[in-house]
Amino acid sequence: GEDVEQSLFLSVREGDSSVINCTYTDSSSTYLYWYKQEPGAGLQLLTYIFSNMDMKQDQRLTVLLNKKDKHLSLRIADTQTGDSAIYFCAESESGGSYIPTFGRGTSLIVHP
Amino acid sequence: NAGVTQTPKFQVLKTGQSMTLQCAQDMNHEYMSWYRQDPGMGLRLIHYSVGAGITDQGEVPNGYNVSRSTTEDFPLRLLSAAPSQTSVYFCASSYGQNRHYGYTFGSGTRLTVV
């Protein structure tokens, strides 16, 4: 079955860039997502990328996709304390219900 | 406000009790699903529905039942609560034709079984 792997923790200084990495095993993964979860809240869709793309940029967020290595990354420029949260990588396949499979989440800690 | 509404936000149950976690969305989304979130485990799919009257099992369905009598509502029933069901439960929904654009999540129900 599908498997999505992420490192569990990342600590960065305020103002630096953060890079959160994810690997997936399913070669038929067509859609890849990044969700953000703040303490005590549900998941919020941050951005997504389709497998026919290599990069997507949205303000401070840059998503890079390496299909050959099945590697997805999320870069947050000028990281702020408000970016402290758990970030989940997820993937889904085309042709079905598109129900995403999630990684275990990366806790991003931003310190002054 | 449009979105996914989950009730209750917190619940404590005794082992063996039953209860229903409510989930409602007002976005006319066909696809709805239930996840549980446990520390270090990420989100695991319990049950999902692709439309009214249609449900299917996810990764961890044992001990849970669902039904989908309307497009708006997708309740999750715990038949006989066990301590292993202590978790945070999330409901999520997506619009059929745009479901590949991702899901909208509720704010969760934190359940403790003692």
Side-chain angles (χ1 to χ4, degrees), chain A residues 6 8 11 15 24 27 37-38 47 49 52 54-56 64 72-73 77-79 83 96 98 101 107 110-111:
Chain A
Q6 301 177 241
L8 293 182
S11 179
Y24 58 96
S27 58
Q37 184 183 31
E38 296 181 352
T47 187
I49 189 168
N52 60 354
D54 296 323
M55 185 183 83
K56 181 177 181 181
L64 294 177
L72 182 74
S73 68
D78 187 24
T79 312
D83 295 322
Y98 297 93
T101 298
S107 290
V110 182
H111 54 88

Coordinates of all heavy atoms in Angstrom, one line a residue, chain A residues 6 8 11 15 24 27 37-38 47 49 52 54-56 64 72-73 77-79 83 96 98 101 107 110-111:
Chain A
Q6 N 7.8 11.2 6.7 CA 8.3 12.6 7.1 C 9.2 12.5 8.3 O 9.0 11.6 9.2 CB 7.2 13.5 7.4 CG 6.1 13.7 6.4 CD 5.0 14.6 6.9 OE1 3.9 14.2 6.9 NE2 5.3 15.8 7.2
L8 N 10.1 13.9 12.0 CA 9.1 14.2 13.0 C 9.2 15.7 13.5 O 8.2 16.3 13.9 CB 9.2 13.3 14.2 CG 8.7 11.8 13.9 CD1 8.8 11.0 15.2 CD2 7.3 11.8 13.3
S11 N 13.4 22.4 13.8 CA 13.5 23.6 14.6 C 14.3 24.6 13.8 O 15.4 24.3 13.3 CB 14.2 23.3 15.9 OG 14.3 24.5 16.7
G15 N 12.8 34.1 10.9 CA 13.4 34.8 9.8 C 14.2 33.9 8.8 O 14.4 34.3 7.7
Y24 N 7.4 9.5 -0.6 CA 6.2 8.6 -0.8 C 6.7 7.4 -1.7 O 7.7 7.5 -2.4 CB 5.1 9.3 -1.4 CG 5.4 10.0 -2.8 CD1 5.0 9.3 -4.0 CD2 6.0 11.2 -2.8 CE1 5.3 9.9 -5.2 CE2 6.3 11.8 -4.1 CZ 5.9 11.2 -5.2 OH 6.2 11.7 -6.4
S27 N 4.1 5.0 -6.9 CA 4.5 5.7 -8.1 C 3.3 6.2 -8.9 O 3.4 7.0 -9.8 CB 5.2 4.7 -9.0 OG 4.5 3.6 -9.3
Q37 N -1.5 22.0 10.7 CA -2.3 21.8 11.8 C -1.8 22.6 13.0 O -0.7 22.3 13.5 CB -2.5 20.3 12.2 CG -3.4 20.1 13.4 CD -3.5 18.7 13.9 OE1 -2.5 17.9 13.8 NE2 -4.7 18.3 14.3
E38 N -2.5 23.6 13.4 CA -2.1 24.4 14.6 C -2.7 23.7 15.8 O -3.6 22.9 15.7 CB -2.7 25.8 14.4 CG -2.0 26.5 13.2 CD -2.5 28.0 13.1 OE1 -3.4 28.4 13.8 OE2 -1.9 28.7 12.2
T47 N -1.4 23.9 0.4 CA -1.1 23.9 -1.0 C -1.1 22.5 -1.6 O -1.1 21.5 -0.8 CB 0.3 24.6 -1.3 OG1 0.4 24.8 -2.7 CG2 1.4 23.8 -0.8
I49 N 0.1 20.0 -5.3 CA 0.9 20.0 -6.5 C 0.5 18.7 -7.3 O 0.3 17.7 -6.7 CB 2.4 20.1 -6.3 CG1 3.2 20.3 -7.6 CG2 2.9 18.9 -5.6 CD1 4.6 20.7 -7.4
N52 N 2.4 16.3 -12.7 CA 2.9 16.8 -14.0 C 3.6 18.1 -13.8 O 4.0 18.8 -14.7 CB 1.8 16.9 -15.0 CG 0.7 17.9 -14.6 OD1 0.7 18.4 -13.5 ND2 -0.2 18.1 -15.5
D54 N 6.7 20.3 -11.4 CA 8.0 20.2 -10.7 C 8.0 21.1 -9.5 O 8.7 20.9 -8.5 CB 9.2 20.4 -11.6 CG 9.3 19.4 -12.7 OD1 9.0 18.2 -12.4 OD2 9.7 19.8 -13.8
M55 N 7.3 22.3 -9.7 CA 7.4 23.3 -8.6 C 6.2 24.1 -8.6 O 5.5 24.3 -9.7 CB 8.6 24.2 -8.9 CG 8.9 25.3 -7.8 SD 10.2 26.4 -8.2 CE 9.3 27.6 -9.2
K56 N 5.8 24.6 -7.4 CA 4.7 25.5 -7.3 C 5.0 26.5 -6.2 O 5.5 26.1 -5.2 CB 3.4 24.7 -6.9 CG 2.2 25.6 -6.8 CD 1.0 24.8 -6.5 CE -0.3 25.7 -6.4 NZ -1.5 24.9 -6.1
L64 N 8.5 21.7 -4.0 CA 9.3 21.1 -5.0 C 8.9 19.6 -5.1 O 8.8 18.9 -4.0 CB 10.8 21.3 -4.7 CG 11.3 22.7 -4.8 CD1 12.8 22.7 -4.4 CD2 11.1 23.3 -6.2
L72 N 9.1 15.0 -2.0 CA 8.3 16.3 -2.0 C 8.9 17.2 -0.9 O 9.2 16.6 0.2 CB 6.8 16.0 -1.8 CG 5.9 17.2 -1.8 CD1 5.6 17.6 -3.2 CD2 4.5 16.7 -1.1
S73 N 9.0 18.4 -1.1 CA 9.5 19.3 -0.1 C 8.6 20.6 0.0 O 8.0 21.0 -1.0 CB 10.9 19.7 -0.2 OG 11.1 20.5 -1.4
A77 N 9.6 30.5 3.3 CA 10.6 31.6 3.4 C 10.2 32.5 4.6 O 9.1 32.6 5.0 CB 10.6 32.4 2.1
D78 N 11.3 33.1 5.2 CA 11.1 34.1 6.3 C 10.1 33.5 7.3 O 9.1 34.1 7.6 CB 10.5 35.4 5.7 CG 10.5 36.5 6.7 OD1 11.2 36.5 7.7 OD2 9.6 37.4 6.5
T79 N 10.5 32.4 7.9 CA 9.6 31.7 8.8 C 9.3 32.6 10.1 O 10.2 33.2 10.7 CB 10.3 30.4 9.3 OG1 10.8 29.7 8.1 CG2 9.3 29.5 10.0
D83 N 4.2 30.3 12.1 CA 4.3 29.1 11.3 C 4.5 27.9 12.1 O 4.5 26.8 11.6 CB 5.5 29.3 10.3 CG 5.2 30.4 9.3 OD1 4.1 30.6 8.9 OD2 6.2 31.1 9.0
G96 N -10.1 7.6 -8.6 CA -10.8 7.1 -7.4 C -11.4 8.2 -6.6 O -11.8 9.2 -7.1
Y98 N -9.9 9.8 -4.4 CA -8.9 10.8 -4.0 C -8.7 11.0 -2.5 O -8.3 12.0 -2.1 CB -9.2 12.2 -4.6 CG -9.2 12.2 -6.1 CD1 -10.4 12.0 -6.8 CD2 -8.1 12.4 -6.9 CE1 -10.4 12.0 -8.2 CE2 -8.1 12.4 -8.2 CZ -9.3 12.2 -8.9 OH -9.3 12.3 -10.3
T101 N -3.7 9.8 1.7 CA -2.9 9.1 2.6 C -1.9 10.0 3.2 O -1.2 10.7 2.5 CB -2.2 7.9 2.0 OG1 -3.1 7.0 1.5 CG2 -1.3 7.2 3.0
S107 N 6.6 18.4 13.1 CA 6.4 19.5 14.0 C 7.5 20.5 13.8 O 8.7 20.3 14.0 CB 6.5 19.0 15.5 OG 5.4 18.2 15.8
V110 N 9.5 27.2 15.7 CA 10.2 28.5 15.3 C 10.5 29.2 16.6 O 9.6 29.6 17.4 CB 9.3 29.3 14.4 CG1 10.0 30.6 13.9 CG2 8.8 28.5 13.2
H111 N 11.8 29.4 16.8 CA 12.2 30.2 18.0 C 12.8 31.5 17.6 O 13.4 31.7 16.6 CB 13.1 29.3 18.8 CG 14.3 28.8 18.1 ND1 15.5 29.5 18.0 CD2 14.5 27.6 17.4 CE1 16.4 28.8 17.3 NE2 15.8 27.6 16.9

